[in-house]
Amino acid sequence: MNESAKTDRIRLSAEDWEDAALGLIAEQGVGALAVEALARQLGVTKGSFYWHFRTREALLQAALERWEQYGEREVIDQIKAIADPRERLPELFRRVAHERDPHRVYAALLKALDHPLVVPVMARVSQRRIEFLTEVYREAGMAAKPALNQARLTYAAYVGFLQLNFTLGLPRLSHDEFDEYVAHMLSTLTPQS
């Protein structure tokens, strides 16, 4: 089948390209993001790409924004909807602990902090997450300064674990060991009544 016939059969949206870009970033890093490789992976011509994006950087920007919005919409907004403030943090830990793909993207982006499109996104995401954690701790009864410090500690533990796990391949935890680690994190970082 020739390339134009293949493109006629498959109509990809910008979101399809963004999802594929995030998958490639998670697997191989920001530097591996290439239009031709993605087109080959998706089984379309590069023309499909240019229908939605002018440049590789435009795709990267859109993919980063999609990843950022996922964190807001699918995690933070849903946790905020939990009525009992003391239940928010445990639910956040449980949810985040079992979402591998967003963590892999985050870990890959940590390795690309020298990229001008990555830095502002990571700064916004980190700031927003620390603010959210601070709010959760405040609503659970902590004073402002301790809540901020606890939020920073919690976020640093998250980022550190991602670095150890995805960058260094440590620690290699079984499913049970990982669940024990999450339980320990919950008991350590959740304010006591």
Side-chain angles (χ1 to χ4, degrees), residues 20 22 36 38 54 60 68 76 98 123 155 157 166 172 185:
L22 289 170
E36 194 168 306
L38 280 177
R54 294 180 61 116
L60 176 58
E68 181 178 7
I76 291 177
H98 293 95
Y155 196 65
F166 292 108
R172 298 203 186 283
M185 290 286 293

Side-chain angles (χ1 to χ4, degrees), residues 100-156:
R100 183 171 170 82
D101 289 341
H103 301 317
R104 292 177 64 220
V105 172
Y106 191 101
L109 295 177
L110 285 172
K111 295 178 194 174
L113 289 176
D114 59 342
H115 194 288
L117 293 177
V118 172
V119 172
V121 171
M122 292 297 280
R124 280 193 312 270
V125 165
S126 295
Q127 183 64 37
R128 198 170 302 121
R129 289 178 178 182
I130 290 170
E131 288 169 358
F132 173 68
L133 286 167
T134 302
E135 178 184 328
V136 169
Y137 282 118
R138 292 273 298 144
E139 290 173 350
M142 293 181 83
K145 284 279 190 188
L148 176 59
N149 288 333
Q150 189 75 356
R152 288 175 176 151
L153 176 64
T154 301
Y155 196 65

Side-chain angles (χ1 to χ4, degrees), residues 10-28:
I10 301 172
R11 297 282 178 209
L12 297 177
S13 66
E15 292 81 14
D16 293 327
W17 282 96
E18 293 162 10
D19 287 341
L22 289 170
L24 187 60
I25 289 168
E27 289 175 22
Q28 300 177 31

Side-chain angles (χ1 to χ4, degrees), residues 1-10:
M1 174 183 314
N2 69 34
E3 291 298 311
S4 63
K6 215 190 278 186
T7 302
D8 289 340
R9 279 193 16 208
I10 301 172

Side-chain angles (χ1 to χ4, degrees), residues 46-96:
K46 290 191 300 184
S48 171
F49 168 83
Y50 291 111
W51 180 260
H52 300 290
F53 303 99
R54 294 180 61 116
T55 63
R56 171 197 179 272
E57 285 70 29
L59 170 61
L60 176 58
Q61 183 68 48
L64 292 173
E65 288 171 5
R66 185 175 182 81
W67 173 78
E68 181 178 7
Q69 290 167 4
Y70 169 83
E72 275 296 303
R73 185 182 62 249
E74 300 298 322
V75 179
I76 291 177
D77 288 349
Q78 289 183 14
I79 298 300
K80 281 182 179 180
I82 297 171
D84 183 352
R86 293 202 165 273
E87 289 301 315
R88 290 183 189 139
L89 195 60
E91 181 58 25
L92 176 64
F93 275 48
R94 283 195 243 1
R95 277 202 65 175
V96 169

